[in-house]
């Protein structure tokens, strides 16, 4: 960070008020190691991590997040976006709320000019820090439904009305749920010291032989067994081994998606496309775009796509509010279908997980389809998109032939279902680490480390069989250091536990069975609230009907008396 500090000395000082004014004027300003970065519109489109990742940190201190997601050489060159520096008196930084988190984004008109566009209404909570909807959290609901939403939830604050663009009042955070800027700054400083300790221990270095050597052997054995069983007409076992092969292989695709193997974006992306697209039939480009947002706004109901599963799942009653997803750019309606499914979501959990891979196909192909019409360039040009499309054609060619040659349609159907259901432990593992954790947002002041540890938990597993979880049962450490090779997570987790104890943070972990029970309890509790709401609504409807009948009866009696 020497270059960053040197850059700060040669730049003009920008007051906090000017940062806010320039954001409202349409600039994308972020704070990084005391520098004020201005991200041009062109780089938003080119950012390998997606433009939404940057938009979620406009007006905020993104130091920890940038350092966590990027190698040192990228962090050093980021100074070219600096347009100013903060005065020492402005630190620790008191953040603004990013406009995208209040429902406002910049869009380009037919004339090429950029202007503010309101994509959703912002609903502000009024609860305390331990509530489901604290005053520090802003939820997005369908645009132009502000009055209806506020009438439905009268205990919550009506948002500040902004018609032509976000206002200073709108992007100024409300009460920070008791958070102290000094304590959050201390967390940040301690996280950087921890990162240095992990780096000095050599844990950011990938274990190619001792780490991925056994992985490659395991992949080869599963693939070979699947082929052998298929040739000998053991269709069920062939499909099972293929599914387990996919399930294990995706862990390496995950590492590569984080550029955590060779740490060279182009090489890691190329290998990940071969694994995810050619062999697995899924888009790694979609996964990276989705997963980066999940890491940055973990468990936020309006912004984290990994917890937005209506109509099948809702992990909090706030999903009853017809939330708007800033990632999917659509409203998550709590409609008749959601009402039916959510009532029994704890009973459907494992059934839905068994076929979750089919949803990943839909999300992957939808992402690639939208990118086909995106004229903006991403890092490396369009080669990655074209290679993914070719990879998916190849996948469906070989997998389609496998299904076609099973011998009968019944066997083909069995192969299809078994091979996909065999990947379900992966999907269960992913939700175990987050579904039962807090989905409240304590505001932009909360430190990166505190937020990740509050919304993420580990699954306790002996090191010797950690490969079953792909090493990612250590989700707390992974969320704190996403580029850390997973074969080093065990050693790093010991340091993270010490860090948590020193900083007064909770390091959450539970066993696999207990974790499943916690998730089911969370789903069951939300399902029960749906039933209660339905019962109350039915009683209110009955009372309204009874009142209407009584009124009608009185009117009839009056008419009779008149006659």
């Amino acid at each position: 960070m020497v270059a960053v500090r040197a850059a700060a000395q040669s730049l003009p000082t920008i007051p906090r008020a000017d940062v806010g004014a320039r954001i409202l004027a349409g600039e994308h300003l972020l704070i990084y190691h005391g520098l004020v970065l201005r991200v041009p519109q062109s780089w938003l489109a080119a950012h390998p991590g997606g433009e939404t990742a940057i938009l979620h940190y406009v007006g905020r201190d993104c130091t920890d997040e940038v350092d966590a997601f990027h190698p040192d050489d990228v962090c050093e060159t980021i100074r070219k976006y600096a347009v100013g520096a903060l005065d020492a008196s402005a630190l620790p930084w008191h953040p603004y709320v990013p406009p995208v988190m209040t429902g406002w984004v910049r869009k380009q008109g037919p004339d090429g000019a950029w202007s503010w566009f309101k994509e959703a209404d912002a609903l502000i909570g009024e609860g305390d820090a331990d509530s489901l909807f604290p005053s520090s959290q802003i939820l997005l609901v369908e645009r132009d439904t502000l009055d209806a939403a506020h009438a439905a939830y009268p205990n919550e604050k009506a948002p500040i009305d902004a018609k032509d663009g976000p206002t200073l009042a709108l992007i100024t955070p409300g009460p920070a749920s008791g958070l102290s800027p000094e304590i959050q700054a201390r967390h940040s400083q301690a996280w950087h010291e921890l990162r240095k300790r992990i780096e000095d221990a050599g844990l950011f270095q990938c274990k190619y032989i001792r780490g991925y050597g056994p992985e490659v052997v395991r992949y080869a054995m599963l693939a070979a067994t699947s082929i052998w069983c298929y040739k000998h007409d053991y269709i069920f076992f062939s499909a099972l081994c293929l599914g387990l092969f996919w399930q294990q292989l995706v862990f390496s695709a995950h590492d590569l998606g984080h550029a955590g193997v060779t740490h060279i974006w182009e090489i890691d992306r190329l290998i990940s496309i071969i694994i995810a697209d050619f062999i697995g039939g899924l888009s790694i480009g979609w996964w990276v775009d989705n997963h980066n947002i999940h890491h940055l706004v973990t468990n936020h109901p309006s912004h984290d796509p990994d917890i937005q599963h209506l109509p099948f799942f809702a992990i909090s009653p706030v999903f009853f509010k017809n939330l708007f997803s800033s990632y999917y750019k659509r409203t998550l309606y709590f409609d008749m279908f959601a009402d039916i499914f959510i009532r029994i979501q704890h009973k459907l959990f494992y059934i839905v997980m068994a076929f979750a891979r089919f949803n990943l196909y839909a999300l992957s192909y939808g992402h690639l389809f939208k990118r086909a019409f995106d004229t903006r360039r991403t890092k490396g040009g369009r080669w990655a998109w074209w290679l993914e499309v070719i990879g998916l054609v190849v996948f469906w060619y070989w997998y389609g032939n496998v299904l076609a040659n099973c011998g009968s349609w019944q066997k083909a159907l069995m192969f299809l279902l078994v091979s996909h259901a065999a990947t379900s432990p992966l999907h269960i593992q992913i939700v175990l680490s987050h579904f039962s954790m807090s989905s409240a947002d304590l505001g932009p002041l909360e430190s990166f480390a505190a937020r990740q540890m509050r919304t993420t938990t580990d699954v306790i597993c002996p090191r010797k069989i950690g490969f079953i979880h792909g090493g990612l049962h250590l989700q707390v450490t992974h969320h704190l250091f996403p580029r850390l090779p997973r074969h080093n997570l065990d050693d790093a987790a010991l340091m993270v536990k010490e860090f948590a104890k020193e900083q007064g943070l909770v390091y959450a972990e539970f066993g696999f069975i207990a974790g499943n029970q916690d998730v089911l309890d969370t789903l069951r509790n939300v399902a029960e609230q749906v039933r209660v709401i339905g019962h109350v609504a039915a009683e209110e409807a009955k009372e309204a009907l009874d009142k209407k009948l009584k009124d009608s009866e009185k009117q009839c009696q009056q008419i009779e008396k008149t006659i």
Side-chain angles (χ1 to χ4, degrees), residues 348-419:
L348 295 176
F349 177 66
Y350 294 109
I351 297 175
V352 174
M353 289 294 103
F355 303 105
R357 192 177 182 88
F358 291 104
N359 183 52
L360 302 188
Y361 290 141
L363 294 173
S364 291
Y365 306 156
H367 173 81
L368 289 176
F369 179 78
K370 287 188 292 186
R371 293 299 295 273
F373 301 98
D374 189 350
T375 57
R376 300 171 303 175
R377 300 293 177 181
T378 58
K379 184 176 180 179
R382 299 284 288 176
W383 70 265
W385 184 89
W386 279 109
L387 190 58
E388 285 204 74
V389 172
I390 294 171
L392 296 179
V393 172
V394 171
F395 167 79
W396 284 110
Y397 174 78
W398 74 259
Y399 187 65
N401 273 280
V402 167
L403 294 177
N405 291 291
C406 282
S408 68
W409 70 266
Q410 294 92 338
K411 288 184 177 181
L413 180 61
M414 180 182 68
F415 192 99
L416 176 72
L417 297 179
V418 171
S419 62

Side-chain angles (χ1 to χ4, degrees), residues 285 301 321 366:
K321 304 177 188 291

Side-chain angles (χ1 to χ4, degrees), residues 158-442:
I160 300 164
D161 192 15
K163 297 180 179 179
D164 300 320
T167 63
L168 184 60
L170 187 60
I171 67 171
T172 299
S177 299
L179 298 181
S180 163
E182 290 71 26
I183 292 177
Q184 301 308 307
R186 189 189 72 196
H187 291 333
S188 177
Q189 178 62 33
W191 176 85
H192 279 274
E193 293 171 358
L194 173 62
R195 180 174 177 268
K196 184 66 167 58
R197 287 176 55 202
I198 291 175
E199 187 174 9
D200 290 344
L203 297 182
F204 277 100
Q205 300 302 314
C206 186
K207 296 178 180 178
Y208 292 111
I209 303 300
R210 289 188 299 130
Y212 284 103
E215 300 282 352
V216 172
V217 172
R218 191 178 303 115
Y219 301 156
M221 289 178 62
L222 287 170
T225 303
S226 178
I227 294 172
W228 185 89
C229 289
Y230 186 84
K231 288 183 176 180
H232 290 79
D233 204 31
Y234 300 127
I235 300 300
F236 177 87
F237 291 104
S238 175
L240 179 63
C241 288
L242 176 60
L244 294 176
F245 171 64
W246 282 340
Q247 187 255 358
Q248 285 290 300
L249 199 60
V250 78
F251 294 127
S252 290
H254 170 275
D255 303 341
L256 292 157
H258 278 295
V261 180
T262 70
H263 302 300
I264 300 174
W265 186 88
E266 289 82 1
I267 296 177
D268 280 4
R269 179 54 59 91
L270 176 61
I271 300 173
S272 64
I273 289 175
I274 294 173
I275 291 175
D277 296 79
F278 282 78
I279 299 177
L282 301 174
S283 165
I284 191 66
W286 158 76
W287 180 86
V288 169
D289 190 72
N290 176 288
H291 195 66
N292 283 340
I293 300 303
H294 161 67
H295 268 269
L296 293 171
V297 286
T298 310
N299 268 25
H300 195 298
S302 284
H303 306 297
D304 182 0
D306 275 12
I307 65 168
Q308 296 174 340
H309 299 301
L310 283 179
F312 298 106
F313 295 132
I315 66 171
S316 169
V318 299
F319 282 98
F320 303 165
K321 304 177 188 291
N322 293 330
L323 299 184
F324 178 85
S325 167
S326 65
Y327 180 79
Y328 292 116
K329 302 300 181 186
R330 60 180 174 84
T331 301
L332 308 172
Y333 291 108
F334 190 79
D335 54 18
M336 179 182 67
F337 296 102
D339 184 271
I340 294 172
F341 285 120
I342 301 305
R343 287 171 185 262
I344 55 174
Q345 61 178 350
H346 53 293
K347 298 178 180 179
L348 295 176
F349 177 66
Y350 294 109
I351 297 175
V352 174
M353 289 294 103
F355 303 105
R357 192 177 182 88
F358 291 104
N359 183 52
L360 302 188
Y361 290 141
L363 294 173
S364 291
Y365 306 156
H367 173 81
L368 289 176
F369 179 78
K370 287 188 292 186
R371 293 299 295 273
F373 301 98
D374 189 350
T375 57
R376 300 171 303 175
R377 300 293 177 181
T378 58
K379 184 176 180 179
R382 299 284 288 176
W383 70 265
W385 184 89
W386 279 109
L387 190 58
E388 285 204 74
V389 172
I390 294 171
L392 296 179
V393 172
V394 171
F395 167 79
W396 284 110
Y397 174 78
W398 74 259
Y399 187 65
N401 273 280
V402 167
L403 294 177
N405 291 291
C406 282
S408 68
W409 70 266
Q410 294 92 338
K411 288 184 177 181
L413 180 61
M414 180 182 68
F415 192 99
L416 176 72
L417 297 179
V418 171
S419 62
H420 284 70
T423 66
S424 61
L426 167 65
H427 309 298
I428 293 172
Q429 175 190 320
I430 292 172
V431 303
L432 286 188
S433 296
H434 300 290
F435 267 27
S436 61
M437 301 301 288
S438 173
S439 60
D441 181 15
L442 301 188

Side-chain angles (χ1 to χ4, degrees), residues 461-473:
C461 177
R463 185 179 293 211
K464 290 184 179 179
I465 59 173
F467 70 88
I468 295 176
H469 298 280
L472 295 179
H473 54 291

